[in-house]
Amino acid sequence: QEQLVRSVVQLAHDTKELQNQLKKLKKDLEHKLESLGGSLRATISKLKAEEDKSEARIDVLEAKSKAIVEDSMRDRLADVERKLTGGVEMRLENLEKRVNAKVESVEFQGGGWKWP
């Protein structure tokens, strides 16, 4: 019977020891999870900051690209306008010369208007 009492006391002691170890493991796990949560929050914060920087760089690149395209289109349109204007002016000059030549020819031949 004394042996049984010692075994029960030992079992109670071992159970208490296991409970203490379990409490310690639980606390350790909670601390590690808190630490991990903090690390994750810090990492997410850094990633958001990098994302903001990247978005700002993208905005700058988009603005530069837009300006380059606009300048290029402006130059091309100006070139087309010059070519068209030059072509129209040349045609008008040729037309004016032909009309003047016809008018001079008519004036030379007939001497002016006549009444019927």
Side-chain angles (χ1 to χ4, degrees), residues 4-49:
L4 181 62
V5 170
R6 275 187 290 200
S7 293
V8 170
V9 169
Q10 183 64 37
L11 183 61
H13 181 300
D14 290 346
T15 303
K16 187 69 172 170
E17 184 68 28
L18 287 173
Q19 286 176 341
N20 288 337
Q21 287 178 1
L22 185 60
K23 284 180 184 178
K24 184 178 185 273
L25 286 173
K26 184 179 175 184
K27 283 183 182 179
D28 288 346
L29 182 59
E30 286 174 354
H31 289 304
K32 287 180 182 181
L33 286 175
E34 271 185 42
S35 175
L36 181 60
S39 295
L40 286 175
R41 283 188 292 278
T43 301
I44 289 170
S45 177
K46 288 178 184 178
L47 287 173
K48 284 183 180 179

Side-chain angles (χ1 to χ4, degrees), residues 1-104:
Q1 190 173 22
E2 200 175 296
Q3 180 68 24
L4 181 62
V5 170
R6 275 187 290 200
S7 293
V8 170
V9 169
Q10 183 64 37
L11 183 61
H13 181 300
D14 290 346
T15 303
K16 187 69 172 170
E17 184 68 28
L18 287 173
Q19 286 176 341
N20 288 337
Q21 287 178 1
L22 185 60
K23 284 180 184 178
K24 184 178 185 273
L25 286 173
K26 184 179 175 184
K27 283 183 182 179
D28 288 346
L29 182 59
E30 286 174 354
H31 289 304
K32 287 180 182 181
L33 286 175
E34 271 185 42
S35 175
L36 181 60
S39 295
L40 286 175
R41 283 188 292 278
T43 301
I44 289 170
S45 177
K46 288 178 184 178
L47 287 173
K48 284 183 180 179
E50 287 299 316
E51 180 183 14
D52 291 343
K53 287 179 188 177
S54 294
E55 285 181 18
R57 286 192 299 255
I58 289 169
D59 289 343
V60 168
L61 290 173
E62 284 177 346
K64 285 181 180 180
S65 298
K66 182 179 177 184
I68 290 169
V69 169
E70 286 176 349
D71 288 346
S72 175
M73 291 304 294
R74 191 177 306 114
D75 291 346
R76 287 181 180 183
L77 286 173
D79 187 44
V80 168
E81 185 179 349
R82 277 192 301 274
K83 288 178 181 177
L84 286 175
T85 302
V88 169
E89 286 177 1
M90 189 180 291
R91 291 173 116 185
L92 283 174
E93 287 176 15
N94 289 338
L95 179 62
E96 186 179 13
K97 286 178 185 175
R98 288 197 317 251
V99 168
N100 286 339
K102 292 282 183 184
V103 169
E104 287 176 8

